[in-house]
């Protein structure tokens, strides 16, 4: 082997840049071809698969039960707020099925993203439409609660079940239409090319439609609602926070916290580091997606928490009525003990929203207790 062969074996081969004229290369064209980095590993492993499986197996039944309960409340009370909550929970169910099951579990875990591109893009349209529906139905609920608390006369004169259903239908149709452009949503896990103008426009449209736009409405309407409630409190009136208003404040607060990481990671991925090259951005996007999907069960959880108020006060009501008509507390130690336990259970209501739904009943029971203890 000659000297040239030894030098070639002792160092890795260098691929030169292509030149316009191979017979006369200029120095500015010489140099190694920029190497394409390897795809970033998924350091989360099977954790997202386990997480989404648990979220779907627990969250979907909870949302279905919540839908049945809200449907009965909406049919019995005919209140617009319960119809909006029903539409919001139904949108969460669609989001869980389309995004969690079809997107993350079926396409990502089972099929390992070996899916025809047209199928993936069609699924993108449904996923973004479900997201838009879930968020913007919450906007309708926010506007409804703002009108009910800040402009009650106008709200009573203009709100009706038919108008509420039309508003929901228009919003769901708009959500489906705004999901169509996301047929061209880029595959952030695989695309190695720099983002094009279309990619940048779609990502900013996603952030505006799903987060920044609704967030501005939530902040403005909720600030007005809280100001009105505080004004009632300073005037001596008890600021009665109903179940719908309590759920609204909880849903919008959770939305703000749960969706913020995904928006931050998407913008960071757009302008700083791509997902397919930096494992830290890859991990951050995985975690941000998992956190954002918790928003699909927020309505059901908050409805359960506010409904817990009735269960917490039930033992106290029973014991007070028993004390009033059967046995006094100072003569029977068992009634005394039962009242102590019922009081402790009822005090758990201080950490639940919507605690003023039964204000009148509470005041009456306390008056009865004072008069007969």
């Amino acid at each position: 082997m000659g000297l040239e062969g030894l030098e070639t074996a002792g160092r890795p081969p260098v691929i030169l840049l292509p030149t316009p004229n191979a017979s006369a290369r200029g120095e500015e064209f010489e140099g190694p071809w920029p190497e394409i980095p390897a795809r970033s590993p998924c350091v989360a492993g099977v954790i997202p698969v386990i997480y989404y499986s648990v979220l779907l197996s627990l969250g979907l039944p909870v949302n279905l039960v919540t839908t049945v309960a809200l449907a009965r409340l909406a049919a019995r009370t005919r209140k617009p707020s319960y119809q909006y909550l029903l539409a919001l929970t139904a949108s969460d169910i669609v989001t869980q099925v389309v995004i969690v099951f079809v997107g993350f579990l079926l396409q990502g875990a089972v099929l390992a993203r070996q899916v025809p591109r047209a199928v993936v893009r069609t699924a993108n349209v449904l996923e973004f439409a479900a997201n838009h529906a879930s968020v913007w139905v919450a906007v309708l609920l926010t506007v409804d609660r703002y009108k009910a608390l800040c402009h009650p006369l106008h709200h009573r004169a203009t709100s009706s079940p038919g108008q509420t259903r039309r508003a929901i239908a228009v919003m769901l149709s708009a959500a489906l239409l705004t999901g169509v452009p996301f047929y061209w949503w880029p595959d952030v896990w695989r695309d190695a090319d720099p983002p094009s103008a279309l990619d940048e426009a779609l990502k900013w449209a996603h952030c505006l439609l799903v987060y920044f736009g609704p967030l501005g409405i939530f902040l403005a309407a909720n600030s007005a609602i809280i100001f009105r409630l505080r004004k009632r409190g300073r005037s001596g009136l008890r600021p009665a926070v109903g179940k719908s208003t309590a759920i609204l404040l909880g849903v919008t607060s959770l939305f703000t916290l749960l969706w913020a990481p995904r928006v931050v990671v998407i913008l960071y991925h757009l302008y700083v580091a791509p997902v397919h090259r930096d494992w830290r951005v890859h991990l951050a996007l995985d975690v941000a997606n998992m956190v954002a999907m918790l928003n699909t069960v927020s309505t059901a959880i908050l409805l359960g928490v506010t409904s817990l108020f009735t269960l917490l006060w039930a033992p106290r009501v029973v014991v007070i009525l028993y004390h009033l008509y059967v046995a006094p507390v100072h003569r029977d130690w068992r009634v005394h003990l039962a009242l102590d336990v019922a009081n402790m259970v009822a005090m758990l209501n201080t950490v639940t929203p919507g605690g003023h739904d039964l204000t009148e009943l509470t005041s009456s029971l306390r008056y009865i207790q004072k008069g007969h203890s």
Side-chain angles (χ1 to χ4, degrees):
M1 183 180 292
L3 182 61
E4 183 179 356
L6 288 174
E7 290 178 353
T8 303
R11 64 182 181 183
V14 176
I15 302 174
L16 299 180
L17 289 171
T19 60
N21 187 353
S23 62
R25 294 194 303 263
E27 292 184 0
E28 66 273 14
F29 292 105
E30 295 181 358
W33 186 264
E35 182 180 320
I36 298 176
R39 187 180 301 172
S40 62
C42 182
V43 296
V46 298
I47 294 178
V49 178
I50 298 174
Y51 171 83
Y52 289 124
S53 300
V54 173
L55 180 64
L56 188 65
S57 59
L58 296 180
L60 189 58
V62 169
N63 277 335
L64 290 174
V65 172
T66 305
T67 302
V68 174
L70 287 172
R72 292 179 177 178
L73 283 173
R76 186 173 68 248
T77 62
R78 299 177 65 84
K79 289 184 177 180
S81 57
Y82 286 127
Q83 294 186 11
Y84 289 129
L85 287 174
L86 177 60
L88 179 59
T89 308
S91 301
D92 289 340
I93 292 175
V94 175
T95 302
Q96 287 179 326
V97 173
V98 173
I99 297 180
V100 177
F101 177 69
V102 176
F104 289 119
L105 293 179
L106 188 59
Q107 292 184 14
V110 178
L111 301 178
R113 298 187 180 276
Q114 301 300 319
V115 184
R117 195 166 184 82
V119 176
V120 174
R121 289 183 169 181
T122 303
N124 285 342
V125 173
L126 298 177
E127 291 172 6
F128 283 97
N131 263 334
H132 298 170
S134 179
V135 173
W136 284 92
V137 169
V139 171
L140 288 180
L141 175 62
T142 303
V143 174
D144 176 78
R145 289 295 85 200
Y146 166 77
K147 291 170 60 179
L149 291 172
C150 300
H151 306 283
L153 296 179
H154 178 71
H155 180 262
R156 292 176 185 175
T158 57
S159 63
S160 65
Q163 184 180 4
T164 303
R165 286 191 292 268
R166 285 193 295 271
I168 294 173
V170 170
M171 187 61 68
L172 295 180
S173 302
L176 184 59
L177 290 177
T178 55
V180 172
F182 293 92
Y183 179 86
W184 293 274
W185 179 260
D187 188 352
V188 298
W189 308 105
R190 292 182 175 183
D191 289 349
D193 298 329
S196 63
L198 177 61
D199 297 341
E200 186 174 359
L202 287 175
K203 289 176 181 177
W204 269 109
H206 173 61
C207 295
L208 290 173
L209 286 173
V210 174
Y211 191 74
F212 292 118
L215 181 61
I217 297 175
F218 290 154
L219 290 177
N222 288 346
S223 299
I225 290 173
I226 294 173
F227 176 77
R228 176 56 61 95
L229 294 176
R230 288 182 176 178
K231 186 177 180 180
R232 288 182 182 179
R234 287 194 298 266
S235 62
L237 300 175
R238 185 181 294 273
V241 181
K243 183 180 294 186
S244 301
T245 305
I247 294 176
L248 166 66
L249 297 176
V251 165
T252 53
S253 300
L254 287 177
F255 165 81
T256 303
L257 296 175
L258 296 178
W259 268 91
R262 174 175 167 84
V263 173
V264 170
V265 173
I266 285 179
L267 295 179
Y268 184 85
H269 157 67
L270 178 61
Y271 292 109
V272 182
V275 173
H276 72 281
R277 292 185 182 180
D278 194 334
W279 66 269
R280 292 167 295 187
V281 184
H282 194 149
L283 177 62
L285 187 57
D286 281 336
V287 174
N289 286 334
M290 290 190 290
V291 172
M293 285 301 100
L294 284 175
N295 192 62
T296 59
V297 295
S298 60
T299 305
I301 292 175
L302 290 170
L303 180 64
V305 170
T306 54
S307 298
L308 185 64
F309 170 79
T310 304
L311 297 178
L312 294 176
W313 270 97
R316 180 180 173 86
V317 173
V318 172
V319 172
I320 290 179
L321 294 178
Y322 184 85
H323 154 66
L324 177 62
Y325 294 107
V326 181
V329 174
H330 67 279
R331 293 184 180 180
D332 194 332
W333 65 270
R334 292 168 295 187
V335 181
H336 196 160
L337 176 62
L339 185 58
D340 287 337
V341 173
N343 286 335
M344 289 187 290
V345 172
M347 286 303 100
L348 292 174
N349 180 65
T350 58
V351 298
T352 64
H356 299 290
D357 286 345
L358 300 179
T359 302
E360 302 273 339
L361 176 61
T362 303
S363 303
S364 302
L365 291 175
R366 286 179 178 172
Y367 175 78
I368 294 174
Q369 183 184 7
K370 290 179 180 179
H372 294 83
S373 60

